[in-house]
Amino acid sequence: MMAFLTLLARNRLAAFGAIVLALLLLLVLITPWLPLLDPDVTQPANRLRPPFSPDHLLGTDALGRDILSRLLWGTRISLAVGIAASLVAALVGSLIGIVAGYFGGRTDNLMMRGIDMLMAFPYILLALAIVAVLGPGLMNALYAIAIVNIPFFARNIRGVTVGIAHREFIDAARLSGKGNLRILTSELLPNVLPVIVITMSTTVGWMILETAGLSFLGLGAQPPQADLGSMLGEGRKMMLNAPHVAMLPGLVIFILVMSINLLGDGIRDALDPRLKSGALSRPAPITRIRRQPGHADSQDGPDDNALLTVDELHTDFEVGEQTYRAVNGVSFAIRPNECLGLVGESGSGKSVTALSLLGLVASPPGVITRGRVSLAKRDLLGLSAGQLRKIRGKDVAYVFQDPLSTLHPLIRVGDQLIEAIQLHQPLSKVEARKLAVELLGQVRIPNPAQRADQYPHELSGGMRQRVGIAMALANDPQLIIADEPTTALDVTVQAQILALIQNLRDTQGTAVLFITHDFGVVSQVCDRVAVMYAGRIVEIGSTAEILDTPRHPYTRRLIDCVPRLGEPDNEPAAIPGLPPAANALPEGCAFADRCDLVEPACRRGDIELIATDADRRVRCIKPLGIADPTTQGVTT
Amino acid sequence: MLRYALRRLLMILPVLLGLSLIVFAIMSLIPGDPARAILGSYATPENLAELRADLGLDLPAPQQYLVWLGNILQGDLGRSYSLNRPVLDEVLERFGATLILAGTALVICIVVGVAAGIVSAVRQYGWSDRIITLLVLVGISVPAFWLGMLMILAFAVELRWFPASGMTAVYGGGGVLDILHHLVLPALALAVVAAGVIARLTRSNMLEVMRQDYIRTARAKGLGEGRVVMRHAFKVALVNLIPVIGVQAGFVIGGAVYIETVFQWPGIGRMLVNAISTRDLLLVQGGVLVVAASYVLFNLFADLLQHWLDPRIRA
């Protein structure tokens, strides 16, 4: 509750709304004791006095009544009616919503169809019809506005109730023999109440406006009773010679409703967890980069043969006060035509590493805080969005994991390809289409010309991934970054896709950064492997050597996860435990808590990547199969 | 698509039926003798008896409803006693004027609201976003009838740019330009609230879409931000927004009741308000039925449009 209030207070507009509303409420509550003139005493001699007249601060109306006093008394009525209407609507609507959502089935169906019928009317029209029948009057206006707002509550509350009605604690209550009524009041209601309050806070402003509207039309408050709406309606008749009579009550309605809406929005935002986590912000065109100057960033001498060099890359997610270190100092290099596998459990930072290379990590919340990414000696992280765009899709192309969510759902696949082609090649639409169809054929899609005119949802999963690959190939990139391209596919399709990637390397000389969690896949396509754990590379080397003699205990466990044909005793062993939270990485080895061979030294200091064999490095103080690492290879 | 359209068309029949049932139920809530309520206290006993037989008031309620429904389906909405002409004629004439006003307002609020929402989403947390967010709040908090009066004072009385009331000039009016000239202020006043709501929903929808994987794909291709926003993100947001716009059409038609009163626009809203104060209940009933039915049809149209634009559900 306190946290909620602080959040609310931090939202300056909401706080402002709360203050204005509190002032208005206070004024209205003490109105009977204020030294005001009687709002209903007419003084024909004093009619239509302008504001700031002596005795009448805000002037008088057509009958010589004091406007200030009438405004305050009118606000009292408008507020009371608005709040009463929203209470009635909340009560009846929530009752309908809870009953429909809790009992479900035919009750639900019948009630919600009724609500749908009410919603088939244009909002105010229904209110008018009700007032027409009941006759003009403030109470009738209140009923009318309450009735037309019932559907909002009923629908909202039903939605929440349906979500809760099948949760365990409700089942438990039912099993313990509690009656429906007890469950509804003691278990369900407390959980639904916040939603009722939010719906009220967002609709009460509306209801004040609408009742004022009915009064304005002469269908609400009847003289001598006056709310703000009817004062405005009366003032309209003398709008030209005494505009203040109409303008002032309108202004009060506006201020009142505005302050309620400001506060209501603030309440809604403060209760919405997505806003805090940044899940509602728009990712910038490129990842934010905040590198402190002066880091000695190179561990090795630069590899002159490398196509891509990644050096000490750090990518953080900043969510509120927390910093999640997703990529925590990753270095590797890829040579032309080479395939490097990046392997690790989900959450190990491999995808974030891949996305960081071309600034595709969503930011907020992502920030690249350190490191270099060099493509043919050019630092990609120093480029502007415009410069980076020329490289994206041309020199470096991505193939993403789930092609159903990564292809645009409303654009034909051919057009998505044509777009990719025309971005980097000066081709006409006809030429680009021809190339697109060729590409689809190249990734072995049958009837490519017809498939080009289909939408992603009309293709099978394997077919969609082929489209994704075709799109990556569109501009003959030097490097393809394939982020779990086969994970969503079944095994036969997976084999076809892997063969396709292999074929690409053979025919086009493309280099591939292949991200996966599956060592089985790695063994089929990768020349070299980098194993990632908790945002760092723990072992890197040639595929054959690592598969043969893993040096890091984690690598060993990962390899053991792969089922082997003909060895039924080799149960894939899941690794017990979970990786450490990325916002609370431990000192020393991040794998220590899950490692069988852990010893006290593992939890001290920063453990470096050390070279154990030629072209082989591991981040472990006691690498497997090596007696004393310090006497082997060179420490870096 | 055609099959879907036919199915949806069939599905609105029960809605229309339910609608008529609600109107019938509301109308039968009138205390006392409906015939007297309709004809007023000066009606002769013969007239009352005749009307009762006409309305089938001597029959049981379900039969009454069927008779009533039968009359309506034949286009017989009764006769307005205050205007002394068939309700249907009056309603259709007035509804035309409302459609001109509400249609224009709807176009304005869609264009302005969607544009503001996109700018707001693209410049999230920037100055233009803050200003638009504040304007949106003002838009949805301001009483439309008061805003209309302010506009009359400013643009009709002070600046004399636009006429303050009516749909056509009293002398020699009636041309398209004349109507347009009269239309500017009321259409703007009517568009404000819905524009605010549409801007708000466009913003949140765009932000939601911008986080989707296919937007990252578009960026990974090397697409410029302008085309990412307009071609890739907006395309999806628009499809999501169509039902919202359908709902807003209901608010615009409802708001027309106030705006027509303020600007003396000869539409159905003003007709309804007058009919309520003169207790011309047959006229109220006819107006409500026609407007509600066309609102249902409009939403059917919005639904079909969404299906047509979205290949995922079009199949």
Side-chain angles (χ1 to χ4, degrees):
Chain A
M1 191 64 200
M2 269 323 285
F4 166 71
L5 287 179
T6 5
L7 255 175
L8 198 60
R10 209 177 294 156
N11 183 337
R12 261 175 291 169
L13 279 176
F16 178 73
I19 291 170
V20 172
L21 186 62
L23 277 177
L24 276 172
L25 281 175
L26 185 73
L27 261 180
V28 159
L29 283 175
I30 60 170
T31 297
W33 296 280
L34 289 178
L36 293 168
L37 297 167
D38 188 321
D40 295 326
V41 167
T42 57
Q43 274 183 295
N46 262 340
R47 61 193 298 270
L48 297 182
R49 283 288 162 88
F52 307 114
S53 312
D55 305 333
H56 301 286
L57 186 59
L58 294 180
T60 60
D61 70 1
L63 297 174
R65 297 174 292 195
D66 183 60
I67 289 184
L68 175 63
S69 164
R70 287 177 68 72
L71 274 183
L72 286 173
W73 285 97
T75 310
R76 254 172 100 88
I77 296 179
S78 282
L79 254 175
V81 172
I83 292 172
S86 95
L87 280 175
V88 173
L91 192 74
V92 180
S94 308
L95 198 67
I96 294 176
I98 288 177
V99 169
Y102 178 74
F103 290 102
R106 194 180 280 171
T107 322
D108 182 28
N109 218 328
L110 200 70
M111 287 177 125
M112 292 330 280
R113 286 297 84 74
I115 293 294
D116 285 349
M117 294 293 166
L118 279 183
M119 290 191 96
F121 283 91
Y123 193 67
I124 301 162
L125 206 68
L126 188 59
L128 280 183
I130 295 168
V131 172
V133 169
L134 299 179
L138 197 56
M139 280 315 277
N140 294 343
L142 190 159
Y143 294 140
I145 294 300
I147 291 174
V148 297
N149 274 292
I150 286 175
F152 290 98
F153 285 92
R155 285 197 150 191
N156 270 355
I157 305 307
R158 176 189 170 272
V160 182
T161 309
V162 166
I164 296 175
H166 300 289
R167 295 257 288 276
E168 301 78 11
F169 65 95
I170 300 284
D171 288 338
R174 206 171 288 149
L175 286 174
S176 75
K178 280 192 187 171
N180 282 331
L181 194 65
R182 285 257 328 262
I183 295 176
L184 282 179
T185 49
S186 66
E187 306 287 336
L188 203 92
L189 195 62
N191 287 292
V192 176
L193 211 55
V195 185
I196 300 181
V197 172
I198 293 177
T199 315
M200 268 184 80
S201 74
T202 48
T203 49
V204 67
W206 254 111
M207 297 204 215
I208 291 177
L209 267 185
E210 294 310 326
T211 32
L214 288 181
S215 290
F216 165 78
L217 295 174
L219 307 175
Q222 300 296 313
Q225 191 184 39
D227 69 350
L228 293 171
S230 62
M231 291 173 66
L232 184 52
E234 283 169 27
R236 194 172 76 89
K237 292 168 199 137
M238 61 223 71
M239 184 171 76
L240 297 186
N241 45 0
H244 69 280
V245 181
M247 288 302 117
L248 287 171
L251 189 65
V252 176
I253 300 176
F254 172 55
I255 294 174
L256 184 63
V257 175
M258 181 89 178
S259 65
I260 292 175
N261 284 343
L262 281 173
L263 183 63
D265 280 6
I267 291 178
R268 198 196 51 204
D269 289 351
L271 290 178
D272 191 341
R274 291 179 304 168
L275 202 69
K276 225 175 12 178
S277 67
L280 291 181
S281 11
R282 185 185 83 99
I286 58 172
T287 309
R288 228 176 103 209
I289 293 168
R290 198 181 52 212
R291 291 187 291 189
Q292 288 101 341
H295 266 298
D297 42 30
S298 193
Q299 280 196 337
D300 317 272
D303 183 348
D304 284 336
N305 299 322
L307 170 67
L308 178 90
T309 319
V310 177
D311 206 1
E312 276 298 297
L313 180 71
H314 285 73
T315 306
D316 293 349
F317 290 111
E318 297 180 342
V319 180
E321 315 274 283
Q322 300 280 347
T323 303
Y324 295 84
R325 306 205 181 283
V327 178
N328 201 9
V330 164
S331 309
F332 59 83
I334 303 177
R335 299 201 188 94
N337 201 16
E338 185 182 47
C339 178
L340 174 71
L342 203 53
V343 191
E345 289 169 283
S346 41
S348 60
K350 47 194 198 310
S351 286
V352 181
T353 304
L355 291 173
S356 297
L357 304 184
L358 288 190
L360 285 170
V361 177
S363 64
V367 191
I368 294 175
T369 54
R370 255 174 82 184
R372 283 171 65 85
V373 175
S374 313
L375 182 76
K377 308 232 164 60
R378 198 167 168 207
D379 183 12
L380 297 184
L381 299 185
L383 299 184
S384 70
Q387 291 168 316
L388 202 55
R389 237 168 51 214
K390 298 207 176 79
I391 294 176
R392 287 176 175 176
K394 181 170 192 310
D395 300 311
V396 182
Y398 279 88
V399 179
F400 293 107
Q401 176 178 352
D402 176 7
L404 186 57
S405 67
T406 52
L407 291 176
H408 196 289
L410 305 183
I411 303 180
R412 294 170 203 276
V413 292
D415 290 336
Q416 300 194 43
L417 275 167
I418 292 171
E419 187 180 55
I421 293 165
Q422 285 188 316
L423 271 169
H424 300 292
Q425 296 177 49
L427 293 181
S428 71
K429 177 107 196 217
V430 178
E431 292 167 319
R433 184 180 158 91
K434 204 170 142 252
L435 181 55
V437 173
E438 258 171 48
L439 283 165
L440 289 176
Q442 210 179 328
V443 294
R444 307 213 189 96
I445 288 183
N447 303 326
Q450 282 147 41
R451 292 293 181 182
D453 288 331
Q454 291 189 313
Y455 291 93
H457 72 276
E458 295 171 303
L459 305 178
S460 68
M463 208 78 97
R464 277 195 289 264
Q465 194 54 286
R466 285 160 203 262
V467 172
I469 293 174
M471 198 141 80
L473 293 181
N475 300 297
D476 295 324
Q478 298 164 275
L479 173 66
I480 288 181
I481 299 173
D483 189 354
E484 306 237 12
T486 57
T487 306
L489 307 174
D490 67 59
V491 187
T492 42
V493 184
Q494 180 174 327
Q496 292 166 2
I497 297 283
L498 291 180
L500 193 62
I501 290 174
Q502 194 62 45
N503 182 262
L504 261 175
R505 289 179 55 210
D506 299 342
T507 54
Q508 321 250 2
T510 322
V512 179
L513 177 61
F514 196 101
I515 294 157
T516 180
H517 60 269
D518 185 350
F519 252 108
V521 172
V522 167
S523 64
Q524 291 177 53
V525 289
C526 299
D527 305 317
R528 293 199 309 136
V529 193
V531 181
M532 275 191 82
Y533 189 79
R536 313 184 95 176
I537 290 180
V538 294
E539 183 163 9
I540 184 166
S542 81
T543 308
E545 281 179 17
I546 286 190
L547 280 173
D548 199 35
T549 53
R551 296 281 187 229
H552 197 285
Y554 176 65
T555 313
R556 158 87 139 295
R557 302 301 291 265
L558 268 186
I559 294 173
D560 287 347
C561 285
V562 182
R564 256 163 275 168
L565 209 62
E567 288 181 39
D569 293 341
N570 179 259
E571 281 278 307
I575 306 173
L578 290 170
N583 59 342
L585 291 175
E587 199 191 344
C589 178
F591 188 63
D593 284 344
R594 299 166 79 187
C595 186
D596 301 334
L597 310 167
V598 64
E599 51 185 61
C602 292
R603 302 186 194 272
R604 278 198 297 269
D606 195 36
I607 294 166
E608 306 240 330
L609 260 182
I610 52 172
T612 53
D613 313 78
D615 195 31
R616 182 86 184 273
R617 282 180 286 149
V618 62
R619 195 185 294 279
C620 183
I621 55 168
K622 253 179 54 182
L624 301 170
I626 290 175
D628 183 1
T630 46
T631 60
Q632 294 273 332
V634 197
T635 315
T636 51
Chain B
M1 184 66 198
L2 196 68
R3 268 183 57 193
Y4 178 78
L6 284 176
R7 215 177 63 219
R8 280 292 281 121
L9 211 59
L10 278 178
M11 271 164 64
I12 64 164
L13 285 181
V15 176
L16 289 175
L17 214 61
L19 216 115
S20 69
L21 205 57
I22 291 179
V23 172
F24 178 78
I26 292 177
M27 288 302 151
S28 52
L29 283 179
I30 303 167
D33 181 0
R36 185 168 288 284
I38 288 166
L39 291 179
S41 43
Y42 298 111
T44 61
E46 293 81 49
N47 283 345
L48 283 174
E50 195 186 336
L51 184 67
R52 261 189 220 117
D54 246 19
L55 296 174
L57 290 175
D58 31 9
L59 302 168
Q63 255 173 305
Q64 271 187 44
Y65 170 68
L66 288 180
V67 170
W68 177 84
L69 191 64
N71 286 341
I72 284 171
L73 288 179
Q74 290 166 39
D76 179 9
L77 291 174
R79 206 174 168 80
S80 155
Y81 86 87
S82 62
L83 303 168
N84 194 24
R85 69 182 291 203
V87 165
L88 189 67
D89 295 359
E90 174 73 7
V91 165
L92 289 182
E93 196 179 305
R94 297 297 202 103
F95 194 45
T98 297
L99 279 183
I100 294 177
L101 175 62
T104 314
L106 195 62
V107 171
I108 296 175
C109 71
I110 292 171
V111 171
V112 174
V114 165
I118 292 177
V119 171
S120 203
V122 170
R123 301 258 175 268
Q124 194 192 15
Y125 303 136
W127 277 107
S128 21
D129 181 29
R130 285 183 213 184
I131 291 169
I132 289 172
T133 304
L134 202 67
L135 283 179
V136 163
L137 260 169
V138 170
I140 59 179
S141 306
V142 73
F145 36 95
W146 180 65
L147 185 71
M149 289 160 70
L150 277 179
M151 286 167 83
I152 289 179
L153 283 177
F155 299 110
V157 178
E158 281 301 317
L159 297 169
R160 298 186 172 275
W161 288 353
F162 300 103
S165 68
M167 182 165 149
T168 51
V170 179
Y171 299 106
V176 173
L177 280 179
D178 182 43
I179 293 184
L180 276 180
H181 195 214
H182 281 79
L183 195 55
V184 174
L185 292 185
L188 280 177
L190 185 52
V192 165
V193 181
V197 178
I198 291 177
R200 195 174 248 209
L201 292 167
T202 305
R203 178 181 185 271
S204 60
N205 223 302
M206 283 294 284
L207 288 176
E208 174 97 32
V209 172
M210 288 298 285
R211 298 198 70 80
Q212 300 298 314
D213 289 347
Y214 48 81
I215 296 301
R216 193 184 58 198
T217 307
R219 285 172 166 169
K221 279 173 162 179
L223 209 60
E225 199 54 17
R227 279 175 70 192
V228 169
V229 171
M230 292 315 297
R231 190 171 137 92
H232 286 241
F234 181 58
K235 202 171 205 143
V236 179
L238 181 69
V239 171
N240 298 340
L241 279 172
I242 286 173
V244 170
I245 289 170
V247 172
Q248 285 311 305
F251 283 88
V252 169
I253 291 243
V257 175
Y258 307 127
I259 298 300
E260 285 175 5
T261 304
V262 171
F263 287 91
Q264 304 285 307
W265 189 269
I268 205 160
R270 217 172 114 221
M271 179 203 89
L272 283 173
V273 174
N274 288 337
I276 292 173
S277 22
T278 52
R279 309 274 305 151
D280 191 344
L281 291 171
L282 279 179
L283 197 55
V284 175
Q285 172 189 289
V288 169
L289 268 177
V290 167
V291 177
S294 26
Y295 176 57
V296 170
L297 289 176
F298 183 85
N299 273 312
L300 170 74
F301 169 73
D303 191 61
L304 291 178
L305 185 69
Q306 192 192 15
H307 272 246
W308 182 66
L309 282 176
D310 190 341
R312 285 170 299 182
I313 34 184
R314 195 165 64 195

